[in-house]
Amino acid sequence: MKRKKREYQSSELVKSFARIYGFEDKLVAFEIKDFLEDYLDESLFNEIKSVNIHDQCIYIKIISPLLKNDFKMRRSFYLKKFQDKFGAEKFNDLQIL
């Protein structure tokens, strides 16, 4: 008697649960935040309060007025980076709050 074993990576399971329960956007927001953690200096990253996605728009809340202004000035640059990294079809706007 031969049994089939199904092996899944934990990331695949999390993605399938996210698809079932409708919180895929939150997972992508976590990935964006991880990307920013690698991309930015630690002190700058600590100024980012939250990252959310709603209706194909990325919302980034930033505490520091200087960093907020920098993100606003380079908004198209960051949007392009996110689209290249995570797929252009997922996002069409970036809002800095």
Side-chain angles (χ1 to χ4, degrees):
M1 190 169 181
K2 206 175 192 183
R3 291 185 181 177
K4 280 189 179 179
K5 287 188 176 182
R6 295 186 179 190
E7 293 182 18
Y8 295 102
Q9 290 185 341
S10 61
S11 62
E12 291 173 1
L13 283 174
V14 170
K15 287 179 184 177
S16 66
F17 281 122
R19 225 179 347 270
I20 291 169
Y21 293 106
F23 58 90
E24 287 174 291
D25 288 344
K26 197 62 181 170
L27 284 179
V28 176
F30 284 134
E31 290 177 21
I32 290 173
K33 196 161 185 179
D34 288 342
F35 172 78
L36 287 172
E37 185 175 17
D38 294 338
Y39 187 75
L40 297 173
D41 181 73
E42 183 180 347
S43 61
L44 294 176
F45 176 73
N46 290 335
E47 295 296 325
I48 295 177
K49 186 173 182 179
S50 67
V51 177
N52 289 307
I53 299 172
H54 184 64
D55 292 334
Q56 294 186 330
C57 182
I58 304 168
Y59 295 94
I60 301 177
K61 287 186 182 178
I62 301 175
I63 300 167
S64 165
L66 291 173
L67 185 61
K68 188 183 295 188
N69 189 44
D70 180 59
F71 263 77
K72 284 181 180 180
M73 290 177 62
R74 300 173 60 193
R75 188 175 146 263
S76 60
F77 168 79
Y78 284 110
L79 180 59
K80 177 85 170 104
K81 273 228 176 278
F82 297 145
Q83 287 175 334
D84 291 346
K85 176 92 172 150
F86 303 104
E89 71 282 350
K90 290 186 179 183
F91 322 113
N92 57 19
D93 196 13
L94 171 64
Q95 295 293 318
I96 309 302
L97 309 171

